[in-house]
Amino acid sequence: EDKVVQSPLSLVVHEGDTVTLNCSYEVTNFRSLLWYKQEKKAPTFLFMLTSSGIEKKSGRLSSILDKKELFSILNITATQTGDSAVYLCAVALINTGTASKLTFGTGTRLQVTL
Amino acid sequence: DGGITQSPKYLFRKEGQNVTLSCEQNLNHDAMYWYRQDPGQGLRLIYYSQIVNDFQKGDIAEGYSVSREKKESFPLTVTSAQKNPTAFYLCASRRTGSRTEAFFGQGTRLTVV
């Protein structure tokens, strides 16, 4: 069974702190790993990672993948209250047959306080 | 504007009734997905479809059914067999054949009373 596990489940930090969110996976036929931010309803896309060791960066957010150890981290530096959200990790599998499965983890709920 | 439209946003139904949630996309995406999200939880995969007239069960398909008669549409029916149907339902789509992200609709919140 394909499995995606995120930790911690929830986190409360002060504005300005740096946080690291973790995502580990056990799947067959790995294609890519994706990070999403969900504030209210629709998750919004942050990063897609396909190769080990190559950091993706967007402003204060960055992410990296380790395909040998089967995990990824999402870093947020100088956190702001607007970073408060649920962060979701998903793994896309190489097509098997006619279907392409996209499996999400449980999410990490981040709350940034003043 | 291209995107994914889910309707309705809020839905109330009595226990024992079937209900169908709509998902339409005009992104020309091949793959479409249905997820369920419970409070404080991540997204759990219900059904997914790669092409018209073909779909696969996800991790929690029991009590749900889908159809894919058109590329643009992937409706989800929550049947009376689903024991705990009250939840937030999200539909997503993505291109295939390349490494691409999934795009989400705004979701439907279903409450069964």
Side-chain angles (χ1 to χ4, degrees):
Chain A
E1 183 185 338
D2 299 316
K3 193 187 299 184
V4 180
V5 179
Q6 293 185 244
S7 64
L9 290 181
S10 66
L11 191 57
V12 180
V13 301
H14 292 296
E15 199 170 45
D17 288 349
T18 294
V19 298
T20 298
L21 310 183
N22 304 295
C23 176
S24 64
Y25 59 92
E26 293 178 28
V27 301
T28 53
N29 301 319
F30 175 90
R31 175 183 280 275
S32 59
L33 186 143
L34 302 93
W35 284 98
Y36 284 82
K37 177 182 182 182
Q38 185 182 28
E39 293 180 83
K40 289 184 179 176
K41 293 188 176 180
T44 54
F45 173 74
L46 295 174
F47 298 111
M48 175 181 289
L49 303 148
T50 57
S51 302
S52 280
I54 298 175
E55 185 183 50
K56 291 282 184 86
K57 197 170 171 66
S58 176
R60 296 177 294 102
L61 278 66
S62 63
S63 184
I64 197 160
L65 174 68
D66 186 328
K67 289 170 75 174
K68 182 179 177 184
E69 300 298 329
L70 309 183
F71 79 91
S72 173
I73 59 172
L74 175 68
N75 279 320
I76 308 175
T77 59
T79 52
Q80 302 171 357
T81 55
D83 295 326
S84 296
V86 175
Y87 290 83
L88 297 162
C89 170
V91 172
L93 307 183
I94 292 172
N95 289 12
T96 53
T98 61
S100 178
K101 195 175 181 184
L102 185 62
T103 300
F104 280 79
T106 50
T108 292
R109 181 173 296 276
L110 173 66
Q111 184 179 351
V112 181
T113 62
L114 292 170
Chain B
D1 287 330
I4 302 175
T5 301
Q6 289 187 241
S7 62
K9 289 184 180 178
Y10 300 94
L11 191 55
F12 294 87
R13 278 293 182 271
K14 290 184 178 179
E15 197 172 327
Q17 290 182 333
N18 291 357
V19 61
T20 297
L21 282 58
S22 170
C23 179
E24 304 274 335
Q25 55 97 0
N26 59 5
L27 299 167
N28 199 32
H29 287 172
D30 292 305
M32 295 187 75
Y33 305 81
W34 273 107
Y35 293 92
R36 169 184 173 136
Q37 188 173 34
D38 293 286
Q41 306 274 327
L43 276 58
R44 291 188 290 168
L45 182 62
I46 305 173
Y47 268 99
Y48 56 115
S49 169
Q50 185 77 8
I51 57 174
V52 173
N53 292 324
D54 185 68
F55 44 83
Q56 309 293 322
K57 290 183 179 179
D59 301 314
I60 55 164
E62 186 174 347
Y64 299 98
S65 66
V66 294
S67 63
R68 188 86 187 274
E69 296 178 1
K70 299 186 299 181
K71 186 176 183 178
E72 302 79 20
S73 179
F74 192 41
L76 173 74
T77 296
V78 184
T79 75
S80 57
Q82 168 50 233
K83 300 299 181 193
N84 186 19
T86 295
F88 186 55
Y89 292 87
L90 281 162
C91 178
S93 72
R94 64 194 281 258
R95 283 189 289 120
T96 55
S98 61
R99 293 166 175 166
T100 62
E101 71 268 30
F103 294 83
F104 284 85
Q106 291 299 308
T108 293
R109 188 167 299 280
L110 172 65
T111 302
V112 175
V113 296

